[in-house]
């Protein structure tokens, strides 16, 4: 038996059906609970086959569905439940439960959902199916040996090609006719996550699809025409001659200055902000915010980008230190959205968050970001700094807001990723998007398109008409018009109801979003009515089914097996399966898991949550921690009590918390302890070197007070034994428990050491009136280019970029010529000669000082080309600003080109560095 996946796509609407099989190898009945997350999925069908019996979920109000399921399970009947559950990190996760699966019974589960796809760069549409990665474990055996994916496409424009992005999926069958394609992929694995990319022909930035429905769940919708109109800049042919940089935008940098950012992390963050500040365009608004236990900002509100504001921000960037104690990111995020609330109506808001990810308010933070960025031109670009970053947080910020996440390890160069993110953030914005339909529509969902769209966004509107066969529409955007006309198509049955379901799902979502703003009983009633009509899982409805035959009762005491499906790449980054077939890279990634997404560990390395006791070592959030407190809550709606577990990481003092059902498995990680001799403690990094019993050495990351203790022992010439806890089942997961020295003087060890960061329990923060503590800044414009910190903390490329003024020019001074390794007198003399030669091409108002600045700018551009060609992606925005400055002051393109050529010639003859 194989896992089967059927994917049907019409326009940007996608319908996916997945079938997975398993066998209960236990001697008792089990309840299988599968948690998964797909931010765009709308589940409309859930079917289970238990032996030769089939049960199919029906959408009813959630409270009734829960009661029906609980009653059936309590009476030893097999039952099925599909629901949305609140999850702190993922907002709402999808979950399905199959209760009272008989011992040694072979079963299968078939789940169907619809979703809206988005268009990526290069007219590329990506399809992802996270449930194909589902692996049954914990006493359950997979009965599927391979995965077969059937992909069927009906597009309103020509398909250039389709490729699977997973190497294990091999294309086995393909047929392509114009805009319709059918193909098949096969993988020998039963748990491979499938994704595919569909490349379309670029033309205008709009796609219009119209489908006549032969039948729908409701008779009054029969023969209705459903239209889907989608707008995305990625659908259009790119014109490389037109600048796509958006200057009317708010750019806010939020930088972690907590104690955990000490050392190389804060240096990396400082360099990242300095480079982005130098690359911002004239016309934008910006601000820099630093946070820890408290927070402050360079400006009380975002300010226009210019020389004075840039100098102030640069000065603060040079003074950054890991001096703000703990890590509370929610208050500064609230401050930014509060101060930019009005401006977001006119221009996009881009937040750049740089952190090591160890914050204490993750739940409230992500919920707040989701709320603030929904249906607004605001998104978060997040950077995870250092090797110990929390990937769930960093990826969660980007995923919740439609932004992007980048992880920068201690060994990585940061400039390339940083500039790629900034370039994406400054992509051109579409404004005043509107649609005028040629004839009245019975339904238009949503009623209006977003007024402001960034380059990454895809806007889609669905309509339903019962009178028209020929559909026409005119879409307007940023002063342009695109008229469209299409005949309604009668597609094959596998496509026929897809757009109808998508339209219903959009209507449910619109009502749910409205209910978020103002909860109302009549909105809830409309959601329930629509969801039950189309058999959807929603906030207020669930799918439920019960096996009711006379022989349906199952004997024995039921146990629960909780399984989590890894999140797809475009969502939050989480571990893949921990099965023996996983790759080494995947198993290393396992250390970043979150409790809500954890695959049930093997019984040999896990215990029920109810068995966890104070003092136990367990694995939480990818860290070995020691339990300090446990408490049990009352039984919930599904008959499961909750266990609240609090633990501490012994090496950092950081507190971790989780809430699980008492029957859930808690990973113990097969933790073993071992002692090593301390050899060295690096004074410039978070690494200590240990001596193993066989004479080999190894390094381990250490932080906080224990790291300071290790350094003092080494500096004093003492010896020490380091006790380390390691996980046998999770490679590379380890932590230092203690460091003991018998020959180091007490006065050395008793000196005050930095304490672990205070960890404040996450509390929902009120949005209004956040108190801002402005960061102290110089009252006069600082001469930051002469700062010694610039020389010690910036790469040669960054030093050069750092000198550029906000308007895009460099000044001709010794600081610039020292970087270029040329004499200031030679540069000035040669510049005066070149300036005299092209005097006729300067604008009449150009002063002699400006002419020298033009020459300095040409020298800087030439140096970028000569010295840093292999790093061009890092300085493209810097050069673009410089060229604009030159073009504004030199009227002749030929003279401008010769001006830069002369600068290149000067450097190659007068600078030893450029000559070679």
């Amino acid at each position: 038996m194989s896992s089967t996946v059927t994917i049907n796509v019409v326009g940007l609407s996608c319908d996916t059906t997945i079938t997975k099989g398993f066998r209960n190898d236990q001697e008792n009945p089990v309840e299988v609970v599968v948690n998964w997350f797909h931010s765009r999925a709308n589940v409309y069908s859930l079917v289970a086959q238990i032996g030769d019996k089939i049960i199919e979920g029906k959408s009813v109000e959630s409270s009734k569905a829960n009661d029906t399921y609980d009653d059936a399970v309590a009476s030893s009947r097999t039952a099925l439940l599909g629901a949305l559950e609140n999850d702190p990190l993922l907002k709402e996760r999808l979950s399905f439960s199959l209760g009272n699966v008989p011992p040694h019974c072979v079963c299968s589960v078939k789940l169907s959902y619809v979703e809206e796809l988005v268009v990526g760069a290069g007219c590329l549409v990506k399809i992802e199916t996270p449930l194909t990665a589902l692996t049954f474990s914990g006493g359950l055996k997979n009965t599927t040996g391979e995965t077969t994916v059937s992909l069927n496409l009906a597009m309103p424009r020509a398909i250039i090609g389709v490729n699977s992005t997973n190497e294990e999926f091999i294309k086995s069958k393909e047929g392509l006719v114009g805009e319709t394609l059918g193909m098949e992929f096969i993988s020998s694995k039963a748990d491979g996550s499938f994704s595919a990319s569909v490349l379309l022909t670029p033309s205008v930035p709009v796609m219009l699809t119209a489908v006549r429905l032969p039948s729908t769940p409701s008779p009054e919708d029969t023969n209705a025409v459903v239209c889907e109109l989608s707008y995305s800049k990625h659908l259009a042919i790119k014109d490389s001659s037109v600048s796509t940089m958006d200057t009317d935008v708010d750019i806010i940098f939020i930088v972690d200055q907590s104690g955990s950012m000490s050392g190389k992390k804060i240096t990396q963050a400082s360099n990242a902000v300095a480079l982005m500040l130098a690359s911002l365009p004239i016309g934008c608004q910006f601000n820099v915010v630093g946070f820890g236990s408290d927070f402050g900002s360079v400006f009380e509100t975002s300010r226009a980008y210019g020389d004075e504001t840039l100098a102030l921000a640069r000065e603060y960037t040079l003074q950054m230190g890991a001096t703000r104690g703990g890590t509370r990111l929610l208050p500064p995020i609230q401050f930014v959205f509060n101060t930019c609330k009005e401006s977001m109506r006119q221009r996009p808001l881009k937040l750049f968050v740089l952190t090591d990810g160890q914050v204490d308010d993750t739940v409230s933070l992500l919920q707040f970001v989701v709320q603030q960025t929904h249906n607004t031109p605001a998104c978060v670009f997040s950077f995870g700094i250092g090797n110990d970053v929390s990937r769930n947080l960093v990826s969660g910020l980007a995923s919740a807001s439609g932004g992007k996440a980048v992880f920068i390890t201690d060994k990585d160069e940061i400039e390339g990723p940083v500039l790629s993110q900034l370039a994406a953030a400054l992509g051109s914005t579409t404004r005043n998007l509107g649609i005028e339909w040629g004839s009245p529509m019975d339904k238009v969902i949503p009623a209006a398109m977003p007024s402001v769209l960034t380059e990454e966004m895809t806007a889609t509107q669905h309509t339903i008409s019962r009178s028209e066969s020929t559909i026409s529409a005119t879409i307007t955007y940023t002063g342009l018009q695109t008229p469209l006309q299409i005949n309604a198509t009668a597609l094959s049955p596998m496509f026929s109801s897809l757009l109808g379901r998508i339209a219903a799902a959009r209507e449910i979502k619109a009502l749910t979003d409205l209910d978020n703003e103002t909860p109302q009983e009549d909105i809830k009633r409309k959601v329930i009515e629509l969801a039950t009509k189309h058999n959807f899982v929603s906030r207020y409805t669930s799918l439920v089914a019960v096996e009711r035959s006379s022989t349906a009762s199952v004997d024995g005491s039921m146990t629960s097996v909780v399984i989590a499906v890894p999140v797809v790449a475009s969502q939050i980054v989480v571990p893949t399966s921990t099965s023996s077939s996983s790759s080494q890279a995947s198993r290393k990634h396992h250390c970043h898991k979150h409790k809500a997404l954890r695959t049930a560990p093997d019984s040999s390395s896990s215990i029920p949550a109810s068995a966890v006791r104070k003092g136990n070592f367990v694995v939480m959030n990818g860290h070995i921690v020691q339990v300090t407190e446990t408490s049990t809550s009352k039984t919930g709606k599904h008959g499961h009590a909750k266990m609240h577990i609090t633990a501490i990481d012994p090496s950092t003092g950081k507190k971790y918390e989780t809430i699980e059902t008492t029957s859930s498995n808690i990973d113990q990680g097969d933790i073993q302890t071992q002692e090593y001799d301390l050899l060295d403690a690096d004074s410039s990094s978070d690494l200590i070197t240990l001596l193993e019993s066989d004479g080999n050495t190894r390094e381990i990351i250490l932080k906080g007070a224990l790291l300071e203790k290790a350094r003092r022992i080494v500096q004093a010439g003492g010896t020490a034994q380091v006790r380390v806890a390691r996980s046998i089942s999770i490679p590379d997961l380890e932590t230092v428990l203690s460091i003991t020295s018998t020959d180091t003087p007490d006065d050395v060890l008793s000196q005050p050491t930095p304490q672990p960061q205070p960890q404040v329990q996450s509390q929902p923060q009120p949005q209004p009136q956040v108190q801002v503590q402005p960061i102290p800044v110089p009252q006069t414009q600082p001469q930051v280019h002469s700062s010694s910190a610039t020389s010690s903390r910036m790469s040669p490329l960054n030093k050069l970029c750092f000198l550029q003024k906000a308007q895009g020019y460099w000044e001709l001074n010794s600081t610039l010529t020292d970087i270029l390794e040329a004499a200031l007198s030679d540069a000035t003399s040669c510049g005066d000669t070149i300036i005299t030669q092209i005097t006729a091409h300067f604008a009449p108002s150009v002063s002699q000082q400006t002419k020298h600045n033009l020459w300095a700018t040409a020298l800087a551009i030439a140096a970028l080309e000569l010295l840093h060609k292999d790093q061009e992606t890092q300085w493209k925005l810097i050069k673009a600003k410089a060229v604009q400055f030159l073009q504004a002051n030199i009227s002749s393109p030929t003279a401008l080109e010769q001006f830069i050529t002369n600068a290149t010639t000067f450097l190659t003859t007068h600078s030893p560095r450029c000559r070679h």
Side-chain angles (χ1 to χ4, degrees):
M1 179 180 178
S2 65
S3 296
T4 60
V5 183
T6 301
I7 304 171
N8 299 322
V9 179
V10 177
L12 293 182
S13 295
C14 180
D15 189 326
T16 302
T17 297
I18 298 177
T19 304
K20 286 275 188 174
F22 68 93
R23 182 177 66 245
N24 177 16
D25 275 356
Q26 298 189 33
E27 299 298 327
N28 54 279
V30 298
E31 178 190 41
V32 183
V33 181
V34 176
N35 297 321
W36 65 294
F37 176 71
H38 195 334
S39 61
R40 300 187 300 268
N42 302 275
V43 176
Y44 69 87
S45 178
L46 183 59
V47 180
Q49 181 169 352
I50 308 95
D52 58 352
K53 305 292 185 182
I54 296 177
I55 56 176
E56 183 172 356
K58 180 180 179 182
S59 180
V60 300
E61 190 173 354
S62 293
S63 59
K64 295 179 181 178
N66 294 332
D67 291 342
T68 300
Y69 178 82
D70 288 343
D71 290 345
V73 169
S75 59
S76 300
R77 291 180 178 272
T78 302
L80 180 66
L81 179 69
L84 283 180
E85 293 189 353
N86 289 328
D87 183 276
L89 284 180
L90 303 177
K91 191 180 178 183
E92 288 178 332
R93 65 178 177 184
L94 292 152
S95 176
F96 66 83
S97 305
L98 183 59
N100 279 323
V101 176
H104 308 292
C105 182
V106 176
C107 305
S108 67
V109 177
K110 182 170 71 172
L111 184 141
S112 301
Y113 61 90
V114 292
E115 62 175 310
E116 294 177 69
L117 305 176
V118 296
V119 184
C123 209
L124 203 66
V125 180
K126 190 169 185 180
I127 303 167
E128 295 173 308
T129 56
L131 267 182
T132 56
L134 169 61
T135 300
F136 292 97
S137 58
L140 306 178
K141 183 176 179 61
N142 292 284
T143 58
T144 51
E146 62 180 23
T147 301
T148 302
V149 179
S150 176
L151 178 61
N152 307 292
L153 305 170
M155 310 300 286
R157 62 176 66 184
I159 302 167
I160 296 176
V162 179
N163 289 296
S164 169
T165 53
N166 312 74
E167 293 182 357
E168 65 265 26
F169 281 91
I170 307 300
K171 191 182 300 183
S172 61
K173 189 185 302 181
E174 180 174 6
L176 179 62
V177 181
E179 294 84 22
T180 304
L181 176 148
M183 60 195 317
E184 188 175 273
F185 297 89
I186 293 180
S187 170
S188 59
K189 295 182 179 181
D191 59 351
S193 179
F194 176 79
S195 61
S197 294
V198 181
L199 182 60
L200 302 176
T201 303
S203 56
V204 296
V206 190
M207 290 200 313
L208 178 62
T209 307
V211 177
R212 182 173 293 283
L213 304 183
S215 61
T216 62
S218 180
E220 65 267 20
D221 289 337
T222 300
N223 291 322
V225 174
V226 180
C227 302
E228 175 183 276
L229 191 152
S230 300
Y231 172 90
S232 170
K233 291 187 71 67
H234 292 313
L235 288 167
I237 298 174
K238 295 291 184 181
D239 184 354
S240 59
S241 66
V242 178
S243 173
T244 59
M245 183 180 294
D246 189 10
T247 60
D248 189 14
V249 61
D250 263 334
I251 301 284
I252 312 294
F253 303 104
I254 303 179
V255 185
D256 188 344
Q257 292 184 260
S258 65
S260 63
M261 286 285 290
S262 61
K264 194 171 183 179
K265 289 182 184 179
I266 195 64
T267 302
Q268 285 185 314
S270 173
N271 288 343
V273 174
L275 192 60
M276 288 191 285
L277 286 171
S279 304
L280 293 181
I282 286 291
C284 74
Q285 303 278 321
F286 82 111
N287 202 353
V288 180
V289 179
F291 75 94
S293 296
D294 58 1
F295 75 96
S297 62
V298 177
F299 313 114
E300 292 187 1
T301 61
S302 58
R303 297 271 298 276
Y305 184 69
D307 281 338
E308 182 179 354
T309 53
L310 174 58
L312 292 174
R314 276 178 168 170
E315 180 69 10
Y316 171 62
T317 300
L318 291 174
Q319 297 174 356
M320 278 182 176
T323 57
R324 288 185 175 268
T327 317
R328 302 187 66 221
L329 180 53
L330 179 57
I333 290 281
Q334 290 175 324
F335 158 71
V336 169
F337 278 103
N338 285 338
T339 56
C340 297
K341 189 173 183 179
E342 292 300 320
S343 64
M344 275 196 295
R345 298 178 180 178
Q346 286 81 39
R347 57 179 179 265
L349 171 64
K350 311 290 184 178
L351 278 72
F352 284 78
V353 177
L354 298 91
T355 180
D356 64 356
Q358 301 175 18
V359 306
D360 55 16
D361 48 9
T362 302
V363 175
S364 300
L365 171 64
L366 292 186
Q367 290 175 342
F368 180 79
V369 170
V370 169
Q371 177 188 10
Q372 295 297 312
T373 58
H374 180 66
N375 287 336
T376 68
C379 62
V380 178
F381 293 80
S382 52
F383 296 83
I385 307 294
N387 294 330
D388 199 30
V389 65
S390 168
R391 290 179 175 261
N392 279 338
L393 171 71
V394 175
S395 295
L397 283 170
S399 175
S401 63
K404 296 180 181 178
V406 168
F407 297 93
I408 302 169
T409 69
D410 292 333
K411 296 180 180 180
D412 289 338
E413 295 293 331
I414 67 171
E415 287 85 352
V418 163
L419 265 295
S420 295
Q421 291 285 61
L422 185 62
L426 294 176
S428 59
T429 298
T430 299
R431 303 174 192 277
N432 304 316
L433 184 65
I435 300 173
E436 182 177 341
W437 294 94
S439 58
M441 294 292 173
D442 295 282
K443 282 186 180 180
V444 179
I445 311 163
M449 292 288 233
S451 59
V452 179
L453 283 91
T454 61
E455 191 158 331
E456 294 79 31
M457 297 173 67
T458 299
T460 302
Q461 190 173 76
H462 288 88
T463 64
I464 298 177
S465 171
R466 295 177 180 82
S467 59
E468 299 294 330
S469 293
T470 300
I471 304 300
S472 62
T474 300
I475 184 166
T476 59
Y477 47 92
T478 320
L480 300 176
Q481 282 192 347
T482 298
L484 301 166
Q485 183 170 302
I486 191 170
N487 292 322
T489 306
L491 294 175
S492 60
M494 66 180 179
F495 294 114
S496 60
S497 58
L498 172 51
L499 286 188
R501 285 199 180 98
I502 282 286
R506 288 290 298 271
E507 193 169 359
I508 291 171
K509 184 178 184 301
L511 288 168
T512 304
D513 291 341
L514 186 61
D515 199 38
N516 284 338
E517 299 172 6
T518 311
Q520 299 176 24
E521 280 300 317
D522 62 329
I523 294 179
K524 178 179 177 181
R525 178 181 52 77
K526 290 178 183 177
V527 170
I528 294 173
E529 181 181 326
L530 268 173
T532 53
K533 172 182 174 181
H534 294 275
N535 211 50
F536 276 116
V537 173
S538 72
R539 178 178 298 180
Y540 304 119
T541 59
S542 303
L543 299 179
V544 66
V546 177
E547 169 55 38
R548 299 187 181 279
S549 67
S550 57
T551 59
S553 181
V554 181
D555 295 330
S557 177
M558 185 184 75
T559 60
S560 292
V561 177
V562 181
I563 301 171
V565 180
V567 177
V568 294
S570 64
Q571 308 296 340
I572 297 177
V573 178
V574 294
T576 56
S577 168
T578 60
S579 65
S580 59
S581 62
S582 299
S583 67
Q584 182 70 12
S586 295
R587 282 156 44 202
K588 286 183 178 180
H589 196 41
H590 180 81
C591 67
H592 299 295
K593 66 188 178 182
H594 181 267
K595 70 176 184 70
L597 304 170
R598 185 181 60 244
T599 301
D602 294 335
S603 58
S604 60
S605 64
S606 63
I607 57 174
S610 58
V612 174
R613 297 290 182 267
K614 183 177 180 180
N616 287 165
F617 285 106
V618 296
V619 177
M620 282 189 193
N621 286 25
H623 296 270
I624 297 174
V625 295
Q626 189 166 24
V627 177
T628 58
E629 184 180 354
T630 63
S631 61
T632 306
S633 66
K634 64 181 181 178
T635 302
K637 64 182 181 182
H638 292 313
H640 304 304
K642 300 286 186 180
M643 174 71 76
H644 185 183
I645 302 171
T646 305
I648 295 290
D649 185 332
S651 67
T652 64
K654 181 176 176 62
K655 183 168 71 173
Y656 293 87
E657 295 182 86
T658 184
I659 298 176
E660 303 278 1
T661 60
T662 53
S663 60
S664 297
N665 290 323
I666 298 295
D667 197 351
Q668 289 186 302
D670 284 337
I671 296 167
Q672 296 182 0
T673 61
Q674 188 172 348
E675 286 195 350
Y676 302 88
D677 290 332
L678 176 65
L679 281 185
D680 192 17
D682 195 332
S683 60
S684 61
S685 72
D686 296 338
L687 293 175
I688 62 172
T689 304
L690 306 178
L691 178 66
E692 297 179 321
S693 58
D694 59 4
N696 292 324
T697 61
R698 59 191 303 267
E699 291 182 331
I700 187 171
I701 295 175
L702 187 60
K703 299 180 181 297
L706 284 179
L707 175 60
E708 290 301 318
K709 183 176 182 180
R711 287 172 175 169
R712 285 176 180 159
I713 292 172
V714 170
Q715 290 168 1
T719 60
Q721 286 69 51
V722 181
R723 186 167 172 251
V724 177
R726 297 184 61 200
S727 170
I728 303 303
S729 61
I730 308 175
D732 302 324
L733 181 58
E734 58 189 359
T735 191
V736 174
L737 300 179
S738 63
I739 299 178
T740 305
S741 177
T742 57
D743 60 359
T744 304
D746 291 340
D747 60 337
V748 173
L749 297 179
S750 62
Q751 292 177 18
T753 58
Q755 297 300 309
Q757 303 171 43
Q759 300 296 322
V760 182
Q761 185 176 0
S762 229
Q763 295 291 340
Q765 298 291 330
Q767 295 183 29
Q769 305 303 320
V770 178
Q771 295 299 315
V772 184
Q773 303 165 2
I775 296 169
V777 293
Q779 297 303 308
T780 59
Q781 181 172 328
Q783 299 299 314
V784 296
H785 57 264
S786 63
S787 170
S788 61
T790 305
S791 176
S792 63
R793 297 175 64 176
M794 305 292 282
S795 68
L797 172 60
N798 287 0
K799 290 178 185 177
L800 181 59
C801 295
F802 197 83
L803 294 179
Q804 189 185 40
K805 296 296 183 179
Q807 287 80 6
Y809 67 86
W810 279 261
E811 292 180 331
L812 186 60
N813 54 36
S814 60
T815 306
L816 174 62
T817 55
D818 286 349
I819 291 175
L820 301 180
E821 294 186 5
L824 177 60
S825 58
D826 290 342
T828 303
S829 175
C830 181
D832 287 340
T833 301
I834 301 300
I835 288 169
T836 301
Q837 294 174 358
I838 66 166
T839 297
H841 300 292
F842 287 119
S845 60
V846 175
S847 65
Q848 188 64 26
Q849 179 61 51
T850 301
K851 292 176 182 178
H852 281 160
N853 292 342
L854 288 167
W855 174 241
T857 302
L859 290 173
I861 292 175
L864 291 173
E865 297 280 0
L866 289 169
L867 301 174
H868 306 288
K869 187 65 177 177
D870 59 336
Q871 300 170 285
E872 185 175 1
T873 56
Q874 302 175 26
W875 48 260
K876 285 179 67 175
L877 295 178
I878 298 284
K879 180 184 175 182
K881 283 204 304 181
V883 170
Q884 287 177 355
F885 176 75
L886 294 177
Q887 290 172 336
N889 291 279
I890 301 176
S891 58
S892 168
T894 303
L896 173 57
E897 183 178 353
Q898 186 60 46
F899 196 55
I900 297 176
T901 300
N902 290 335
T904 303
T905 302
F906 170 80
L907 290 180
T908 55
T909 56
H910 289 78
S911 166
R913 183 181 173 205
C914 295
R915 186 181 306 129
H916 302 293

